[in-house]
């Protein structure tokens, strides 16, 4: 179940990202300029937390609190990564 949840989460994120990049070409160029560790942190650090947020209740019905915890951790990780990426963009004049 976990690999399926991760794959669906990554597919949804990729589709949203592709749509956003089509609407804002500047955002796409900034993403392409980001170093690989920042991208890897998003796909291998933040995405699994969001995948777990909706997969845990499906696996363990009474564990609604775990879903909330994974969702909160995912939101915090996403905010931290977003701040780091914005700082990198500004430092490099993007």
């Amino acid at each position: 179940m976990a690999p399926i949840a991760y794959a669906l989460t990554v597919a949804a994120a990729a589709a949203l990202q592709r749509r956003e990049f089509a609407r804002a070409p500047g955002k796409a160029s900034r993403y392409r300029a980001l170093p690989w560790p920042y991208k890897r942190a998003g796909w291998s650090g933040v995405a699994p937390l969001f995948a777990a947020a909706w997969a845990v209740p499906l696996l363990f019905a009474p564990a609604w609190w775990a879903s909330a915890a994974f969702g909160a951790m995912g939101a915090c990780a996403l905010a931290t990564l977003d701040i780091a990426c914005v700082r990198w963009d500004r430092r490099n004049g993007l």
Side-chain angles (χ1 to χ4, degrees):
M1 181 63 168
I4 294 170
Y6 178 74
L8 290 174
T9 301
V10 168
L16 290 172
Q17 197 175 48
R18 192 175 14 249
R19 191 181 112 226
E20 189 67 27
F21 288 170
R23 285 185 13 198
K27 188 180 277 191
S29 65
R30 286 193 308 270
Y31 182 78
R32 282 192 294 274
L34 270 178
W36 176 244
Y38 287 90
K39 295 175 189 176
R40 188 178 59 224
W43 295 111
S44 64
V46 176
L49 290 172
F50 282 120
W54 67 268
V56 165
L58 297 176
L59 295 173
F60 311 105
W64 60 268
W65 56 268
S67 177
F70 280 118
M73 286 188 297
C76 289
L78 181 62
T80 303
L81 181 61
D82 192 28
I83 290 167
C85 291
V86 168
R87 288 182 70 196
W88 187 88
D89 285 346
R90 288 184 181 160
R91 204 171 348 158
N92 292 296
L94 297 175

